[in-house]
């Protein structure tokens, strides 16, 4: 059984911080299909559409019948651990710093032989359960887990490398005024976050949730994501202590271009939703990137809360949706810019939330507690893309099926299918 | 020797002092808050473009953004619906002699300390005139409350029913306009109206009557405690913004220092 | 449907064995080392470069060149050219190709050369771009390289057949004994079983002395018709049998046997003898578990009986089953692709009486097996060759 992870000791200020290193990043295009599924927490492999043979390693033609039709399908995770070794030395710095490292050969019940990482709770030559995760290079890897859940399993050093668990980590939640702030703060506290910094803008203007936040136990820090100096000042203060940054600052108003009549609110939307992310990234990003190998409370994740309009514009909130697309696109740039450091960018998409500015929309809407729970689960699983609530999943599925058809559905309105 | 050369000499010798009545324009300074469906007053923001570095080696400069009504600012008649048809009602059209003129300071400090929603009434004006004489036509009238000394949330003093800060009663404003033909009205709070002015009929009555009559407003003033009740000269020249309804500006007063 | 039996290798001979000294690290290129070995072979039998009309090369560090670039680089003009990137199976495969060319008259004198350089970061560079499957599905997991892959195979073999580290140690110790008689071997100190067992672990259960030492170096030999060799008056060995197989037993969950099992009957039939009729065996010894597999799969013993076979036989030069007489890669060093040639070149020396310090008395028939190219989780290429004395030196 895994020992529970202890709160890390205070960092020795005389010691040089461990430089970030990564496992190998290069993959063929076919192999990226595994990564794409793992990015959402799914274990998927190619299954030949013609003869139903499972393929591994990923490839371009069926190993049994040469068909090129190899869609990615959710994979039954059961298997048997046939052999294992513990790597004691490696020419790759990332592993050199982390040996001994346990790997093994699994024979899956449905066929393929898979080389895997092995969780410490797995007994040699036993039945196992496969899971897919993103490693520090942001690529999909497979892990052999014991078939039954074991206590503190996620505290194992292997799992801490593959996830962005908030336990014992220090989190910055950027907007105390957001309606989801108290639920977020509570969820983080319950998940074992060591410190919750919360950004509070315009202290000259009170807000009702402050007392509740105080009750939960957060550290209020002045922060206005529209004020460059404010962002830089806070980064100067706590940038070196920010392990997870959750940007919940959001400006939303209804209406598309014509309904608005001017660009005033759109400027606010861009200033908060897009430029806010950019300011935060410029101020906090470099410091977080330097600390991704900083022992147990390393900098590990950047979380954006995005509306599903990022994917396909929702015209009732057309201008706002455009700002979400801008933010989404920027988050993809951040993924690339943070890649070499191994800092994970996690986007949590949701449909309308149970909040003031979506009040005129019919249910289902995402409650703050649900959103918060999905953020925590996403961090604990180390995924990159989270779809919170039914609408988000629905739009995602329609978008993947055919983006143009979805565009018509969203912009046409009317009588439904 | 002309009056102006005398003035220059007095300024140089310090017998006339220049007083700054302006808050520093900075991102943390509060602005008026309107119901959230409406466009809001933009906060003051600065983006550093270079600072003697690779972005511009020998110079430093910022891009700034704000509303016309951010910080210490001037309200022109075109700012309000009642003043929409006042001729020469935008900042670029106002004749410049209007930007320099005598200023009268009516002390409502004690009343405001006792009552955060204090409204200055005609009696306050009468009491002032008893002491200092009739208010000359074409004067700026400043309602001094020392509100500028408040910090943080106490400045807007926002509660469930809106902000709570002092301002002129509608009758007082009408009196000043009709009976004293003032140039404009100034306060230390974010608006020429009292904090609860949005609940009045018409809403924001000071704005309504002032600008309807082609008069001007000044807000977020500070340092009124350095001015005499009368006798100082105010300089308040807004930026010459095309069709502008107001602008942040440097408000100065020349004060007798003897 | 009956398969056609492969044509015999009548008339095909090997000659001019040459090994460069090995060097742990070299600032020179694969081109440099290949040229050295090629020159060595040609000089040893008094041939000029322009008498060569066939050339086969095996190398991992020639990039961005292949065999084609080498023709111009080394000034060779040939009517037959081959590039054999099959790791430890390369010698047997290169030989099979050259043999048919010589038989058919497509080429008269073929040089088969393997060589590699070894820069400080060669190993790391090689791993990072070894194969698509390794990149996608093996190295991301611990990046232990071939050591980790073979550790998994060793773990499985030990569990399946009850082999112990001592069993593997016997192979390494005997090879080290042999190496002490080879002045070119990089390992020149004696190795005891105790030292083997106590050595630092690399990837459990593989430890330091289970691993080869990567070096720079090259090996080569010439292939021609027997008539030509007799005309030149040089010592030569006859090729009597040769097999190869790629991606055999793909459905075996893990590799416990290699492709030799599918073609060994053909091999021994062509060789006209049984497995135990050979005088000396050179296996591809990147790791001792594969050596055991080669003993089993070529028919020296039954599958799983490898440990017993090793226990019951003396694998040293003067023993009853001389094996890897130059020390093998484990003791002589692995000069990249030349590791796939070291056995062939040594076997050629043995049956032509040119092995000096490592000579097995009266060696007349040698078996050379090759194995290589862990593309993902198993070695894909296998080869096996039988050589007999033609004319001794």
């Amino acid at each position: 059984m895994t020992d529970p992870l202890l709160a890390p000791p205070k960092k020795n200020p005389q010691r040089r911080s461990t430089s970030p290193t990564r496992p190998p990043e290069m993959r063929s295009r076919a192999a990226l299909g595994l990564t794409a599924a793992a990015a959402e927490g799914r274990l998927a492999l190619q299954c030949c559409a013609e003869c139903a043979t499972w393929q591994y390693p990923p490839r371009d033609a069926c190993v049994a019948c040469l068909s090129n039709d190899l869609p990615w399908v959710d994979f039954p995770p059961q298997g048997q651990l046939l052999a294992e070794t513990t790597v004691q030395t490696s020419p790759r710095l990332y592993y050199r710093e982390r040996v001994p490292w346990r790997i093994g050969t699994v024979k899956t019940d449905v066929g393929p032989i898979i080389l895997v990482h092995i969780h410490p709770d797995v007994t040699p030559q036993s039945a196992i359960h496969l899971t897919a995760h993103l490693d520090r290079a942001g690529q999909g890897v497979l892990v052999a887990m014991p078939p039954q859940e074991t206590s503190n399993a996620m505290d194992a050093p292997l799992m801490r490398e593959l996830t962005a668990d908030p336990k014992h980590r220090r989190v910055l939640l950027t907007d105390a005024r957001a309606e989801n702030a108290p639920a977020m703060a509570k969820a983080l506290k319950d998940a074992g976050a060591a410190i919750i910094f919360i950004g509070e803008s315009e202290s000259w203007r009170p807000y009702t949730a402050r007392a509740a936040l105080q009750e939960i136990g957060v550290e209020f820090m002045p922060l206005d994501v529209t004020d460059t100096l404010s962002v830089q000042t806070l980064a100067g203060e706590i940038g070196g202590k920010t392990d997870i940054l959750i940007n919940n600052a959001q400006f939303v108003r209804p209406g598309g271009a014509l309904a608005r009549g001017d660009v005033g609110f759109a400027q606010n939307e861009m200033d908060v939703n897009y430029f806010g992310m950019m300011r935060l990234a410029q101020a906090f990003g470099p410091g977080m990137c330097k600390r991704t190998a900083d022992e147990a409370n390393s900098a590990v994740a950047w979380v954006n809360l995005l509306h599903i309009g990022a994917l396909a514009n929702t015209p009732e909130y057309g201008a706002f949706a455009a700002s979400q697309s801008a933010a989404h696109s920027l988050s993809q740039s951040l993924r690339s810019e943070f890649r070499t450091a191994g800092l994970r960018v996690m986007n949590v998409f949701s449909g309308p939330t149970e909040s003031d500015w979506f009040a005129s929309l019919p249910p289902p809407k995402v409650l703050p507690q649900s959103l918060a729970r999905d953020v925590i689960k996403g961090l604990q699983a180390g995924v990159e893309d989270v779809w919170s609530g039914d609408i988000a999943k629905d739009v995602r599925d329609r978008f993947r099926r055919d983006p143009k058809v979805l565009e018509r559905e969203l912009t046409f309105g009317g009588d439904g299918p | 020797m002309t009056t102006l050369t005398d003035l220059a000499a007095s300024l140089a010798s310090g017998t006339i002092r220049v007083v700054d009545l302006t808050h520093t324009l900075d991102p943390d300074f509060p602005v008026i808050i309107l119901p959230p469906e409406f466009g809001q007053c933009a906060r003051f923001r600065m983006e550093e473009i270079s600072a003697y570095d690779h972005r511009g080696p020998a110079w430093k400069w910022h891009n700034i953004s704000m509303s016309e009504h951010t910080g210490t600012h001037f309200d022109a008649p075109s700012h309000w619906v009642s003043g929409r048809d006042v001729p020469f009602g935008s900042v670029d059209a106002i004749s410049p002699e209007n930007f320099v003129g005598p200023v009268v300071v009516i002390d409502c400090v004690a009343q405001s300390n006792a009552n955060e929603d204090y409204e200055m009434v005609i009696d306050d004006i009468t009491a002032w005139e008893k002491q200092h004489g009739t208010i000359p036509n074409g004067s700026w009238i400043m309602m001094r409350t020392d509100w500028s000394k408040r910090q943080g949330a106490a400045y807007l003093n926002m509660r469930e029913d809106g902000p709570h800060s002092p301002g002129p009663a509608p009758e007082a404003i009408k009196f000043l306009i009709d009976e004293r033909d003032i140039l404009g009205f100034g306060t230390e709070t974010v608006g020429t109206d009292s904090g609860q002015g949005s609940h009045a009929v018409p809403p924001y009555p000071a704005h309504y009557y002032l600008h309807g009559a082609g008069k001007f407003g000044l807000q977020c003033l500070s340092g009124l405690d350095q001015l005499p009740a009368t006798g100082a000269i105010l300089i308040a020249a807004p930026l010459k913004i095309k069709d502008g309804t107001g602008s942040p500006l440097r408000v100065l007063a020349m004060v007798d220092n003897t | 449907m009956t398969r056609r039996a492969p044509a015999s290798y009548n008339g095909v001979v090997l000659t001019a064995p040459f090994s460069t000294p090995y060097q742990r690290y070299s600032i020179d290129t694969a081109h440099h080392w290949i040229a050295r070995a090629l020159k060595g072979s040609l000089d040893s039998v008094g041939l000029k470069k322009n008498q060569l009309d066939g050339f086969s090369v095996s190398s991992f560090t020639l990039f961005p060149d292949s065999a084609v670039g080498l023709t111009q680089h080394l000034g060779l003009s040939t009517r037959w050219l081959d590039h054999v990137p099959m790791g430890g199976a390369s010698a047997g495969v290169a030989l099979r190709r050259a043999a048919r060319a010589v038989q058919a008259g497509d080429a008269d004198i073929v040089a088969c050369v393997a060589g590699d350089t070894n820069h400080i970061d060669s190993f790391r560079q090689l791993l990072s771009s070894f194969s698509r499957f390794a990149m996608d599905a093996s190295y991301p997991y611990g990046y232990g390289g071939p050591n980790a892959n073979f550790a998994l195979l060793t773990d499985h073999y030990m569990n399946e057949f009850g082999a112990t580290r001592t069993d593997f140690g016997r192979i390494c110790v005997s090879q080290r004994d042999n190496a002490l008689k080879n002045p070119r071997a990089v390992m020149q100190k004696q190795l005891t079983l105790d030292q083997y067992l106590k050595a630092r672990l690399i990837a459990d259960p593989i430890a330091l002395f289970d691993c080869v030492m990567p070096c720079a170096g090259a090996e080569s030999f010439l292939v021609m018709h027997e008539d030509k060799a007799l005309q030149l008056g040089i010592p030569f060995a006859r090729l009597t049998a040769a097999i190869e197989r790629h991606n055999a037993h793909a459905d075996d969950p893990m590799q416990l046997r290699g492709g030799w099992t599918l073609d060994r009957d053909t091999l021994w039939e062509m060789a006209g003898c049984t497995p135990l009729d050979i005088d000396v065996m050179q296996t591809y010894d990147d790791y001792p578990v594969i050596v055991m597999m080669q003993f089993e799969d070529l028919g020296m013993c039954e599958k799983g009986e490898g440990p017993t076979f090793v226990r019951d036989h003396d694998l040293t030069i003067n023993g009853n089953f001389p094996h890897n007489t130059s020390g093998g890669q484990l003791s002589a060093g692995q000069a990249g692709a030349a590791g796939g040639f070291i056995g062939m070149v040594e076997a050629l020396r043995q049956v032509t009486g040119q092995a000096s310090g490592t000579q097995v008395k009266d060696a007349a028939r040698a078996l050379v097996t090759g194995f290589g190219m862990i593309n993902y989780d198993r070695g894909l290429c296998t080869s096996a060759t039988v050589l007999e004395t033609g004319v001794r030196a």
Side-chain angles (χ1 to χ4, degrees):
Chain A
M1 301 302 117
T2 308
D3 290 329
L5 186 71
L6 299 173
K10 282 194 190 154
K11 187 171 172 180
N12 181 348
Q14 304 267 13
R15 270 189 66 212
R16 189 181 76 85
S17 297
T18 316
S19 302
T21 53
R22 297 180 300 155
E25 184 192 38
M26 271 310 293
R27 296 290 194 281
S28 66
R29 188 165 212 278
L32 290 178
L34 199 159
T35 291
E40 295 188 324
R42 287 172 40 231
L43 168 60
L45 293 189
Q46 293 161 305
C47 189
C48 179
E50 285 186 38
C51 73
T53 304
W54 289 99
Q55 318 285 323
Y56 194 81
R59 62 194 72 203
D60 304 326
C62 176
V63 72
C65 75
L66 290 180
S67 167
N68 291 131
D69 194 354
L70 303 174
W72 289 85
V73 178
D74 286 344
F75 186 76
Q78 294 79 14
Q80 189 75 19
L81 184 64
L82 290 187
E84 66 175 270
T85 181
T86 303
V87 176
Q88 305 285 351
T89 176
S90 168
R92 179 115 193 149
L93 280 181
Y94 176 84
Y95 283 115
R96 192 185 201 80
E97 291 163 353
R98 287 163 179 79
V99 290
W101 192 276
R102 196 176 171 205
I103 60 162
T105 304
V106 164
K107 165 104 179 64
T108 55
D109 286 3
V110 296
I113 300 293
I114 306 188
L115 242 58
V116 296
H117 296 302
I118 307 179
H119 190 277
D121 291 349
V122 168
T123 28
Q125 302 189 280
S126 62
I128 59 93
H129 192 96
L130 281 180
T131 57
H133 294 269
L134 296 178
D135 68 10
R136 269 286 144 249
Q139 298 292 25
V141 290
L142 301 170
V143 181
M145 305 288 286
Q148 250 65 50
E149 217 184 281
T150 53
S151 53
N152 308 312
M154 299 311 279
D155 286 358
L158 169 67
M159 304 318 291
R160 291 291 282 187
E161 283 298 307
L162 301 178
T163 64
D165 201 315
K167 188 196 285 197
H168 296 317
R169 287 199 161 101
R170 300 155 300 181
V171 184
L172 169 61
L173 188 58
T174 59
D175 191 7
R177 291 176 184 272
E179 282 169 79
N180 55 42
M184 286 286 178
K186 172 124 199 347
L188 286 165
K189 196 105 211 151
D190 292 345
I195 305 177
I196 302 163
F197 297 112
I198 200 158
E200 187 179 57
S201 61
E202 302 190 335
S203 55
W204 43 267
R205 189 165 61 92
Y207 56 108
T208 41
R210 199 181 203 274
L213 287 169
Q214 207 140 29
E215 184 82 26
I216 292 166
V218 299
E219 286 197 31
F220 294 97
M221 310 297 294
L223 176 65
D224 188 325
V225 302
T226 66
D227 178 2
T228 304
L229 193 58
S230 164
V231 177
Q232 288 173 344
T233 304
L234 186 63
E237 265 195 68
I238 64 162
K241 291 178 163 56
T242 304
D243 301 327
I244 298 174
L245 190 149
I246 301 177
N247 185 18
N248 66 333
Q250 189 182 80
F251 188 99
V252 53
R253 292 291 184 275
L258 271 54
R260 296 273 185 89
D262 66 70
V263 300
F265 281 148
Q267 282 181 326
N268 295 127
E269 281 158 343
M270 291 303 277
D271 202 20
V272 174
N273 305 338
Y274 172 64
F275 291 122
M277 184 193 290
M278 193 181 287
R279 289 187 187 97
L280 288 166
Q282 288 169 342
F284 284 86
M288 289 177 80
C289 283
K290 289 225 159 59
R291 289 190 45 253
T292 51
D294 218 0
E295 273 96 54
N297 56 358
S298 52
V300 77
W302 182 287
V303 183
N304 301 307
L305 304 186
L306 299 174
H307 183 266
I308 199 70
L311 226 53
N313 192 292
T314 47
E316 285 167 335
Y317 288 79
F320 167 66
S323 76
Q324 297 301 286
S325 291
H328 179 220
S329 184
L330 185 64
S331 80
Q332 290 175 312
S333 180
L334 294 185
R335 249 183 209 138
S336 168
E337 298 178 74
F338 293 162
R339 188 85 171 250
T340 47
L343 186 66
R344 180 90 10 99
V345 175
M346 183 172 92
N347 287 334
V348 180
F349 297 93
S350 71
T353 49
E354 195 66 74
S355 61
D356 267 356
W357 291 103
F358 292 113
S360 61
L361 292 180
K365 281 185 277 193
V366 180
L367 292 167
Q369 305 89 282
S370 308
L371 188 61
R373 179 202 62 212
D374 287 340
V375 169
I376 300 299
K377 274 168 58 183
L379 289 171
Q380 289 171 337
V383 295
E384 275 190 354
D385 294 308
V386 176
W387 311 90
S388 182
D390 293 324
I391 291 192
K393 295 183 172 97
D394 183 73
V395 174
R396 172 200 66 196
D397 292 344
R398 288 169 195 268
F399 181 81
R400 286 178 179 170
R401 183 79 67 83
D402 191 325
K404 192 62 183 178
V405 169
L406 173 62
E407 182 195 284
R408 271 294 177 280
E409 286 180 309
L410 292 175
T411 57
F412 197 50
D415 308 301
Chain B
M1 282 292 169
T2 67
T3 317
L4 279 175
T5 49
D6 282 345
L7 174 61
S10 301
L11 285 166
S13 68
T15 47
I16 289 180
R17 196 162 59 93
V18 176
V19 172
D20 189 357
L21 302 176
T22 323
H23 274 288
T24 305
L25 251 184
D26 98 61
D28 294 325
F29 194 78
V31 296
I32 194 164
I33 301 293
L34 296 173
E37 299 77 31
F38 301 140
Q40 298 296 311
C41 180
R43 282 63 168 161
F44 177 75
R45 292 288 180 260
M46 294 171 74
E47 291 294 334
E48 184 185 89
I49 300 306
S50 81
Y52 334 110
D53 56 16
H54 67 278
R55 299 171 295 167
W59 51 94
K60 178 174 176 174
W61 52 359
H62 307 89
N63 285 354
I64 55 178
S65 64
M66 70 212 84
S67 164
E68 290 166 330
H69 298 268
T70 308
T72 303
H73 69 279
F74 183 103
D75 281 359
S78 68
H79 179 43
W80 215 253
V81 62
S82 54
R84 68 195 295 177
D85 294 323
V86 166
F88 311 112
S90 58
V91 285
D92 56 332
I94 297 169
S95 205
E97 66 272 11
N98 292 292
F99 301 145
V100 187
V103 54
V104 156
V105 181
I106 302 180
D107 188 338
C108 301
V109 173
Q111 302 94 309
S112 303
N113 282 343
N115 174 12
E116 60 196 1
D117 293 308
Y118 184 70
E119 293 202 327
M120 184 182 80
V121 291
I122 297 175
D123 281 351
D124 292 317
I125 301 166
T126 320
W128 188 92
E129 287 188 322
K130 207 172 229 145
Q131 251 201 302
H132 303 289
T134 310
I135 291 168
N137 283 359
S139 297
W140 274 102
I141 310 300
M142 303 301 186
M143 177 183 173
R144 180 181 157 202
T145 54
D146 278 0
W147 208 256
S148 59
K149 298 186 176 148
R150 287 180 163 234
Q151 303 278 359
Y155 185 73
L156 269 196
N157 208 21
M158 191 72 96
R159 286 207 287 277
E160 293 277 308
D161 54 357
H164 292 265
S165 52
E171 318 80 65
I173 279 289
K174 279 198 256 191
F175 175 83
L176 288 170
I177 292 167
D178 298 332
E179 305 300 328
R180 294 296 178 264
D181 194 24
I182 60 173
L183 183 64
F185 189 79
T187 62
E188 295 179 59
T189 58
V190 290
T192 44
D193 276 288
S194 65
Q196 289 287 292
S198 62
H199 298 299
V201 179
Y204 304 101
H207 283 80
Y208 192 87
Y209 295 122
L210 277 170
H211 302 315
K215 309 301 181 189
F216 314 128
L218 279 173
Q219 285 117 136
C220 298
L221 294 168
S222 71
L224 289 180
D225 56 346
Q226 295 180 75
L227 299 188
T230 185
I233 298 291
L234 194 79
I235 304 170
L239 291 172
K240 196 173 183 180
I241 301 171
K242 181 174 153 134
D243 283 338
T245 70
S247 89
L249 77 177
R250 201 72 182 262
V251 181
L252 303 171
M254 287 193 289
V255 164
D256 206 311
N257 206 25
T258 48
Chain C
M1 179 177 83
T2 38
R3 209 175 60 179
R4 287 185 307 149
S8 91
Y9 288 104
N10 234 348
V12 178
V13 303
L14 291 73
T15 182
F18 189 84
S19 314
T20 69
Y22 288 176
Q23 204 172 293
R24 176 86 171 99
Y25 292 116
S26 164
I27 61 175
D28 293 307
T29 60
H31 304 59
H32 162 105
W33 290 100
I34 287 166
R36 236 168 120 167
L38 177 61
K39 184 172 199 301
S41 276
L42 291 169
D43 288 351
S44 75
V45 292
L47 281 171
K48 294 266 178 298
K49 179 160 69 82
N50 60 10
Q51 290 173 278
L52 221 51
D53 62 352
F55 182 57
S56 171
V57 67
S58 301
S59 178
F60 289 121
T61 53
L62 260 185
F63 182 86
D65 277 345
S66 65
V68 173
L70 273 180
T71 60
Q72 196 170 35
H73 195 118
L74 304 180
L76 306 173
S77 187
T78 63
R79 54 192 179 117
W80 185 93
L81 186 66
D82 205 358
H83 189 104
V84 181
M86 295 179 201
S90 294
V93 172
L95 175 56
R96 269 164 60 96
R97 306 282 181 273
R100 296 307 185 195
V102 161
Q103 281 183 321
D106 288 344
D108 285 336
I109 303 180
V110 180
C112 294
V113 190
D116 270 300
T117 186
N118 190 42
H119 300 318
I120 302 278
D121 64 344
S122 282
F123 182 67
R124 206 169 51 81
Q125 296 283 0
L126 178 63
L127 285 198
S128 68
S129 52
F130 192 74
S131 74
R132 187 168 138 178
F133 280 4
M135 173 179 84
D136 285 345
S138 174
Y139 294 145
Y141 297 88
Y143 211 85
N147 293 333
N149 289 117
F150 281 95
L152 290 169
L153 294 181
T154 308
D155 183 55
H156 192 59
Y157 185 93
M158 289 168 81
N159 289 322
E160 199 66 23
F161 300 128
T164 65
R165 290 205 65 229
T166 302
D167 295 323
F168 297 123
R170 287 200 177 89
I171 296 172
C172 302
V173 167
S174 65
Q175 287 189 207
R176 183 63 64 89
D177 265 355
N178 296 344
L180 297 182
K181 301 192 166 91
N182 172 11
R184 278 191 319 272
V186 291
M187 305 301 215
Q188 289 292 335
K189 288 199 305 203
Q190 210 210 356
L191 174 69
T192 66
L193 189 58
D194 197 51
Q195 284 171 319
Y196 169 86
L197 291 169
K198 294 201 166 78
R200 174 167 68 94
L201 282 170
I202 302 292
D204 308 8
I206 280 181
L208 188 61
F209 297 114
D210 293 303
C211 303
V212 304
M213 173 171 285
C215 304
E219 305 269 336
S220 73
F221 57 91
L222 303 177
V223 179
M224 61 186 69
H225 196 277
E226 182 167 342
D227 294 344
K228 175 71 76 179
L230 288 169
Q231 181 194 39
L232 292 169
I234 56 182
F236 63 86
R238 290 199 181 86
L239 173 62
T240 58
I243 55 168
E244 74 184 89
R245 184 65 74 156
H246 306 286
N247 194 28
H249 304 304
D251 292 334
D252 285 358
M254 288 191 72
Q255 188 168 45
L256 291 170
R257 56 181 175 161
W260 310 280
T261 58
L262 297 171
D263 302 294
R264 68 179 177 210
D265 290 345
T266 306
L267 181 81
W268 296 121
E269 209 182 295
M270 288 179 84
C273 67
T274 73
L276 291 163
D277 290 334
I278 58 158
D279 302 319
V280 60
M281 182 172 182
Q282 315 289 353
T283 62
Y284 186 75
D285 62 326
D286 51 356
Y287 298 89
V289 68
I290 300 301
V291 171
M292 257 188 215
M293 249 183 244
Q294 285 161 93
F295 292 156
E296 294 166 355
D297 290 352
L298 271 302
M300 305 303 156
C301 61
E302 293 298 314
K303 178 51 63 184
E305 292 297 307
T308 312
F309 182 84
V310 169
R311 241 174 274 139
D312 292 348
H313 289 80
D314 180 348
L315 304 172
T316 62
I317 288 160
N318 298 316
N320 60 357
F321 192 85
H323 164 257
N324 285 357
T325 50
S326 66
Q329 296 174 92
L330 286 168
S331 286
Q334 180 186 69
F341 268 51
I342 190 176
M344 186 71 76
V345 172
E346 174 69 4
L348 173 53
R349 284 199 185 93
Q350 288 286 339
V351 303
T352 55
Q354 299 179 84
S356 10
T358 61
Q359 183 68 57
V360 170
K361 194 162 173 324
D362 299 331
R365 187 187 277 119
L367 171 66
V368 184
T369 52
F371 170 90
M373 304 310 284
I374 295 230
N375 189 52
Y376 164 46
D377 64 336
R378 61 196 63 204
L380 296 187
C381 306
T382 54
S383 64
T385 314
V386 180
L387 304 180
E388 281 184 11
T389 304
V391 167
R392 281 199 169 84

